């Protein structure tokens, strides 16, 4: 049993506007599965497919504006591409962000609703990931997080140390899932950016949730009410959702 990592979910004041920004950033298209939801995915994409981790933007009342543990790293193919992408994103409403990064070769920006992301300098490891190089999660213990998420999903561990862990789809396509060791902080609000997982055809949502709980996940209440997905928190308290197949 395993789950597919299918999308990154952004909570927003305006899903349509933020969805358009991320479509421009990634060179993807937009659609909507209903009011208050904007889906951002490659044009012609048949969901779900590990070749891309999509972006779902959902409107919620007054989302928090704090630094969240999860963010996206965007890939570039050359120094000129990095410069051009940063300039284009600023035209669409991105702003420079200072998260204490100092003098680094990547550029840290915030999207129009304040979500921080990075535009990376060209790196060989990300040459075939598509526009999203990695989904990055701050954590206290990358080794423990790699164990949990490696067992929760069908992704393969590529690298692990005390400071960093990197996983990728077992098919060797799409972005990486990375855990970066940071100074632990007190978590006081639910994460505005989180990961959504989907059972494989024939697998049972409830059984997968029970399996995740044996791995250390806990049920979480973020005010979701009566919904078809189940909200859990990983061992470090990061919320994520287990979707139900249609």
């Amino acid at each position: 049993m395993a789950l597919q990592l299918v999308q990154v979910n952004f909570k927003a004041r305006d899903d349509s506007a933020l969805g358009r920004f991320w479509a421009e950033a990634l060179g993807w298209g937009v659609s909507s599965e209903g009011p208050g939801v904007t889906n951002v995915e490659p044009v012609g994409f048949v969901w779900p497919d590990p070749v891309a981790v999509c972006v779902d933007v959902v409107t919620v009342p007054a989302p928090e504006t704090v630094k969240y543990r999860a963010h996206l790293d965007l890939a570039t193919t050359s120094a000129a591409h990095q410069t051009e992408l940063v300039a284009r994103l600023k035209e669409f409403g991105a702003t420079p962000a200072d998260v204490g990064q100092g003098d680094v070769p990547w550029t840290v920006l915030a999207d129009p609703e304040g979500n921080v992301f990075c535009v990376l300098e060209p790196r060989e490891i990300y040459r075939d990931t598509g526009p999203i190089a990695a989904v990055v999660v701050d954590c206290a213990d990358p080794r423990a997080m790699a164990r949990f998420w490696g067992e929760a999903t069908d992704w393969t561990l590529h690298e692990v140390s005390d400071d960093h862990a990197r996983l990728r789809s077992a098919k060797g396509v799409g972005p990486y899932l990375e855990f970066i060791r940071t100074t632990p902080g007190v978590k006081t609000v639910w994460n505005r950016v989180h990961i959504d997982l989907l059972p494989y055809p024939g697998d049972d949502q409830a059984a997968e949730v029970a399996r995740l709980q044996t791995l250390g996940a806990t049920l979480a209440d973020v005010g979701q009410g009566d919904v078809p997905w189940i909200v859990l928190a990983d061992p470090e308290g990061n919320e994520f959702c287990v979707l139900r197949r249609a």
Side-chain angles (χ1 to χ4, degrees):
M1 299 175 71
L3 290 154
Q4 297 173 271
L5 198 168
V6 291
Q7 61 200 26
V8 176
N9 186 295
F10 284 73
K11 304 303 182 190
R13 292 182 294 274
D14 184 339
D15 65 279
S16 179
L18 192 59
R20 287 194 302 272
F21 171 86
W22 281 104
E24 292 288 353
L26 302 172
W28 291 355
V30 295
S31 60
S32 178
E33 63 193 64
V37 180
T38 297
N39 313 110
V40 184
E41 58 189 32
V43 176
F45 183 75
V46 179
W47 188 90
D49 187 324
V51 73
V53 171
C54 299
V55 173
D56 260 23
V57 185
V58 180
T59 292
V60 298
E64 296 284 348
T65 53
V66 299
K67 183 180 182 294
Y68 293 93
R69 294 180 179 178
H71 73 268
L72 298 183
D73 280 353
L74 305 189
T76 62
T77 56
S78 66
H81 181 207
Q82 182 187 21
T83 299
E84 181 275 332
L85 181 57
V86 169
R88 185 160 57 86
L89 293 173
K90 288 180 179 178
E91 290 179 2
F92 291 126
T95 53
D98 185 351
V99 294
Q101 69 269 23
D103 184 16
V104 293
W106 58 90
T107 301
V108 184
L109 299 173
D111 72 18
E113 291 209 9
N115 301 298
V116 171
F117 64 99
C118 298
V119 180
L120 302 180
E121 76 284 3
R123 300 185 192 181
E124 179 64 21
I125 192 172
Y126 302 131
R127 60 182 170 78
D128 63 350
T129 60
I132 300 177
V135 180
V136 183
V137 181
D138 294 343
C139 67
D141 187 343
R143 292 184 185 276
M145 291 289 275
R147 284 193 298 272
F148 172 83
W149 283 95
E151 293 188 59
T153 68
D154 59 351
W155 284 34
T156 300
L157 182 64
H158 282 246
E159 176 186 342
V160 64
S161 69
D162 289 342
D163 295 319
H164 180 232
R166 177 182 284 126
L167 301 91
R168 196 183 192 192
S169 164
K171 294 185 178 180
V173 296
Y176 289 84
L177 175 62
E178 301 187 7
F179 298 96
I180 306 295
R181 184 173 180 270
T182 58
T183 302
V186 177
K187 183 174 181 292
T188 58
V189 297
W190 48 269
N191 286 340
R192 189 174 166 189
V193 180
H194 71 259
I195 292 168
D196 285 345
L197 306 178
L198 181 72
Y200 278 93
D203 286 347
D204 180 70
Q205 181 193 41
E208 283 295 326
V209 168
R211 183 179 68 87
L212 293 171
Q213 289 177 289
T214 68
L215 298 175
T218 54
L219 294 172
D221 185 352
V222 295
Q224 67 268 25
D226 184 17
V227 292
W229 57 88
I230 297 174
V231 184
L232 297 171
D234 71 17
E236 289 204 9
N238 300 299
E239 293 90 5
F240 65 96
C241 295
V242 179
L243 307 180
R244 185 171 68 195
R245 296 194 74 94

